Amino acid sequence: AALAYRAAADLAGALGDRGAAADGLLGLTVARFVLGRYDEALEAALDALRIAEEAPQLPLQASRACHLAGMVHRNLGRTEEALSYLTRSVALARASGVSSQLVRALNEEGNALHLSGDDAAAIARKQEALELARASGDLSGVSDCLNDLAVIATGSGRDAEARRYLEEAHELTRRSGDARARVISAANLAGTLVADGEAARARALLDEALALTESHDLPAEEEVVR
C-alpha cells in the first residue's frame, strides 16, 4: 500500500493535480503510521500539508495532514507539538464542512488535551465528537470516541463507566469491519475484563485480536496485544 500511495502521489504531482497528490501522500502517511515508521509518516504528512496550504480549496486535506502529524507527535511523546497540530486540524475540519473529519479531529485533540493534563477540556471535545458521530451514523467515529473516553474514565477510577464504553465500542467495531479499530477495542476491553476477574473471555478476545494483527499487517497493534 505504501508503495502504491507513493507512486500515486508522484504521478498526481507530475500531472499538476494538487488534490490527488495530497491524497496520495495522506494515504502514504497512514500506511507508514500503521507500520510504526513514524519519522517517515511525519515527513509524508508535512509534504501533504505543504501542498494543501498552497491550494486554499483543500481544507479537508490540510486538516487530515495536521491530524496525522499530530498523531505521530503524540505517539512519539511530543504532546505540545501534537496539540498544536490537532487544534489546527479541528479549525480546518470545521472549514471543510466534512463531519467525519471533524469527529476525528475533535477526538484526537481530546487525546492530546488528556495527555497534557486537561481532562475537562478533553472530555468536552470528545463529547462533541461523539454526539456528531452518533448523529451522522459514523460507527467508526463513535467507537473511537468511546474507546478514548474509557481511557479517561479508567484513569479517574470510574471503571464501571469505562467498561460500558468499551463494550459498546467493541460491538461497533465488529459491525464496522475496521480490523485495526477492532483490535484496539478488544485489547482495551480485555484489560477491563481481567480486572473484573473474567480472564477466560479476555483471553478469547486477545486470541481473536492477535489473529487480526497477523492477517492485516498491524505490527504496532500486535505488540500491544502480546
Side-chain angles (χ1 to χ4, degrees), residues 52-59:
E53 286 178 329
E54 292 171 355
Q57 72 275 22
L58 299 177

PDB file of all heavy atoms in Angstrom, residues 52-59:
ATOM      1  N   ALA A  52      -1.415  21.154   0.383  1.00  0.00           N
ATOM      2  CA  ALA A  52      -2.768  21.625   0.683  1.00  0.00           C
ATOM      3  C   ALA A  52      -2.778  23.119   1.014  1.00  0.00           C
ATOM      4  O   ALA A  52      -3.725  23.841   0.650  1.00  0.00           O
ATOM      5  CB  ALA A  52      -3.360  20.830   1.842  1.00  0.00           C
ATOM      6  N   GLU A  53      -1.732  23.588   1.674  1.00  0.00           N
ATOM      7  CA  GLU A  53      -1.664  25.012   2.031  1.00  0.00           C
ATOM      8  C   GLU A  53      -1.480  25.887   0.800  1.00  0.00           C
ATOM      9  O   GLU A  53      -1.862  27.059   0.800  1.00  0.00           O
ATOM     10  CB  GLU A  53      -0.516  25.248   3.009  1.00  0.00           C
ATOM     11  CG  GLU A  53      -0.806  24.750   4.418  1.00  0.00           C
ATOM     12  CD  GLU A  53       0.370  24.967   5.345  1.00  0.00           C
ATOM     13  OE1 GLU A  53       1.532  24.924   4.883  1.00  0.00           O
ATOM     14  OE2 GLU A  53       0.121  25.167   6.542  1.00  0.00           O
ATOM     15  N   GLU A  54      -0.899  25.317  -0.244  1.00  0.00           N
ATOM     16  CA  GLU A  54      -0.696  26.080  -1.478  1.00  0.00           C
ATOM     17  C   GLU A  54      -1.964  26.139  -2.327  1.00  0.00           C
ATOM     18  O   GLU A  54      -2.002  26.850  -3.329  1.00  0.00           O
ATOM     19  CB  GLU A  54       0.449  25.456  -2.281  1.00  0.00           C
ATOM     20  CG  GLU A  54       1.810  25.608  -1.602  1.00  0.00           C
ATOM     21  CD  GLU A  54       2.902  24.811  -2.295  1.00  0.00           C
ATOM     22  OE1 GLU A  54       2.578  24.072  -3.247  1.00  0.00           O
ATOM     23  OE2 GLU A  54       4.073  24.925  -1.878  1.00  0.00           O
ATOM     24  N   ALA A  55      -3.000  25.372  -1.918  1.00  0.00           N
ATOM     25  CA  ALA A  55      -4.266  25.343  -2.651  1.00  0.00           C
ATOM     26  C   ALA A  55      -5.388  25.579  -1.637  1.00  0.00           C
ATOM     27  O   ALA A  55      -5.806  24.642  -0.960  1.00  0.00           O
ATOM     28  CB  ALA A  55      -4.433  24.002  -3.361  1.00  0.00           C
ATOM     29  N   PRO A  56      -5.884  26.798  -1.509  1.00  0.00           N
ATOM     30  CA  PRO A  56      -6.870  27.113  -0.465  1.00  0.00           C
ATOM     31  C   PRO A  56      -8.159  26.297  -0.538  1.00  0.00           C
ATOM     32  O   PRO A  56      -8.917  26.263   0.423  1.00  0.00           O
ATOM     33  CB  PRO A  56      -7.159  28.605  -0.715  1.00  0.00           C
ATOM     34  CG  PRO A  56      -5.969  29.116  -1.443  1.00  0.00           C
ATOM     35  CD  PRO A  56      -5.492  27.978  -2.281  1.00  0.00           C
ATOM     36  N   GLN A  57      -8.419  25.652  -1.663  1.00  0.00           N
ATOM     37  CA  GLN A  57      -9.633  24.856  -1.790  1.00  0.00           C
ATOM     38  C   GLN A  57      -9.476  23.464  -1.195  1.00  0.00           C
ATOM     39  O   GLN A  57     -10.342  22.612  -1.382  1.00  0.00           O
ATOM     40  CB  GLN A  57     -10.049  24.736  -3.268  1.00  0.00           C
ATOM     41  CG  GLN A  57      -9.169  23.832  -4.124  1.00  0.00           C
ATOM     42  CD  GLN A  57      -7.948  24.528  -4.696  1.00  0.00           C
ATOM     43  OE1 GLN A  57      -7.506  25.553  -4.172  1.00  0.00           O
ATOM     44  NE2 GLN A  57      -7.412  23.992  -5.769  1.00  0.00           N
ATOM     45  N   LEU A  58      -8.413  23.208  -0.452  1.00  0.00           N
ATOM     46  CA  LEU A  58      -8.156  21.874   0.094  1.00  0.00           C
ATOM     47  C   LEU A  58      -8.119  21.868   1.629  1.00  0.00           C
ATOM     48  O   LEU A  58      -7.195  21.301   2.220  1.00  0.00           O
ATOM     49  CB  LEU A  58      -6.828  21.329  -0.454  1.00  0.00           C
ATOM     50  CG  LEU A  58      -6.725  21.161  -1.972  1.00  0.00           C
ATOM     51  CD1 LEU A  58      -5.328  20.691  -2.349  1.00  0.00           C
ATOM     52  CD2 LEU A  58      -7.773  20.189  -2.486  1.00  0.00           C
ATOM     53  N   PRO A  59      -9.114  22.445   2.316  1.00  0.00           N
ATOM     54  CA  PRO A  59      -9.076  22.429   3.788  1.00  0.00           C
ATOM     55  C   PRO A  59      -9.196  21.021   4.361  1.00  0.00           C
ATOM     56  O   PRO A  59      -8.657  20.746   5.441  1.00  0.00           O
ATOM     57  CB  PRO A  59     -10.274  23.295   4.192  1.00  0.00           C
ATOM     58  CG  PRO A  59     -11.213  23.209   3.027  1.00  0.00           C
ATOM     59  CD  PRO A  59     -10.317  23.152   1.826  1.00  0.00           C
TER      60      PRO A  59
END
